[in-house]
Amino acid sequence: ADRRNIYLSKEGHIAEGSATWNQLSNSDKAKRSRAAEDASLKLKSPNFAVSRTRLNVRNVPRAWDEKQLKALFVEAVKERATKATPRVKQVKILRDKPATADAPAGASKGIAFIEFDDHEHSLCALRHLNNNPSIWGKDHRPIVEFAIDNVQALKKRAARLAKSLTTRMHMCFVTSSKRHRRIRTMSRRSSISRVSMLLGVARLSTPS
């Protein structure tokens, strides 16, 4: 079984020398060649696997933000699957640091990652947008591929998230317990106060 989803690394690939390849700008050819070399090197190691839901996107316009990119990809899914309700889990544009006055979030590197909740939606978006000249122009076509993840890094991240969740749940439980104890204490004090008041009234009402 292909547990590392290597077959997905072929999605979006354009063979050098093919008719489609010859239509690309020199810039896009260079980017695709570097991406293919990087993917080939990583996938030689068992520590890397191809994600089924997270996409790597290159040639993102520098002026674009995450909101615009998310809208583009959601619409791309709906173009191919009209009844779909795609849900995006994460969108991240890689940026240079530090930030500047013109780019408070940091200047975009033109590279992004976007993850859908469903594999089929990721596949729809890739097949609709990859190398599509109508999106950002024929010289800067979207380069969309399934992202290659470091498995060990993902495991560590999952462990950190699990620990963080456990800590938050514990804090909520402690806070809730303290709140309940305060409420019980206030309730007892209120009851004692009411009883004392009633006893006082009773004594005043009792004839001498």
Side-chain angles (χ1 to χ4, degrees):
D2 184 6
R3 295 183 179 180
R4 294 167 58 210
N5 307 315
I6 303 297
Y7 72 100
L8 289 177
S9 65
K10 302 300 181 184
E11 285 288 345
H13 176 72
I14 297 176
E16 292 191 23
S18 65
T20 302
W21 176 268
N22 292 333
Q23 294 174 359
L24 300 178
S25 66
N26 290 334
S27 173
D28 280 3
K29 288 178 180 178
K31 289 175 183 177
R32 285 186 176 274
S33 292
R34 286 197 300 270
E37 290 173 6
D38 183 58
S40 177
L41 182 63
K42 286 182 176 178
L43 292 176
K44 288 178 181 178
S45 167
N47 291 329
F48 289 90
V50 182
S51 173
R52 286 176 52 81
T53 54
R54 198 163 75 103
L55 299 170
N56 178 297
V57 190
R58 293 179 176 82
N59 272 346
V60 179
R62 302 301 172 107
W64 274 43
D65 59 19
E66 282 81 358
K67 185 177 180 180
Q68 290 171 293
L69 194 63
K70 177 181 177 180
L72 173 67
F73 273 73
V74 167
E75 187 60 33
V77 175
K78 292 180 178 180
E79 284 284 337
R80 281 181 168 256
T82 55
K83 295 182 179 180
T85 53
R87 190 172 78 87
V88 175
K89 293 173 65 177
Q90 182 188 44
V91 185
K92 181 178 182 180
I93 294 176
L94 301 187
R95 299 181 182 278
D96 288 319
K97 299 295 180 182
T100 64
D102 294 332
S108 170
K109 293 183 177 181
I111 301 172
F113 291 93
I114 181 165
E115 183 172 10
F116 284 92
D117 193 47
D118 186 271
H119 167 67
E120 291 301 323
H121 293 161
S122 298
L123 189 61
C124 280
L126 184 156
R127 290 179 174 176
H128 182 75
L129 294 172
N130 182 57
N131 200 44
N132 188 332
S134 68
I135 306 300
W136 298 322
K138 65 183 182 64
D139 291 334
H140 299 281
R141 307 180 189 201
I143 300 174
V144 187
E145 301 167 322
F146 281 101
I148 298 176
D149 293 329
N150 185 318
V151 177
Q152 298 304 317
L154 289 179
K155 287 181 179 178
K156 289 179 180 178
R157 182 186 175 202
R160 286 197 302 270
L161 290 174
K163 184 178 179 180
S164 175
L165 179 60
T166 301
T167 301
R168 288 200 300 270
M169 291 177 65
H170 176 71
M171 292 299 293
C172 288
F173 175 77
V174 170
T175 302
S176 178
S177 297
K178 288 180 178 178
R179 185 180 298 114
H180 287 161
R181 284 199 295 271
R182 284 199 302 270
I183 292 172
R184 287 197 298 270
T185 299
M186 293 172 62
S187 179
R188 284 198 297 270
R189 288 174 179 172
S190 178
S191 297
I192 292 171
S193 177
R194 285 198 298 271
V195 169
S196 298
M197 183 179 67
L198 290 172
L199 287 174
V201 172
R203 281 197 296 271
L204 291 172
S205 302
T206 302
S208 303

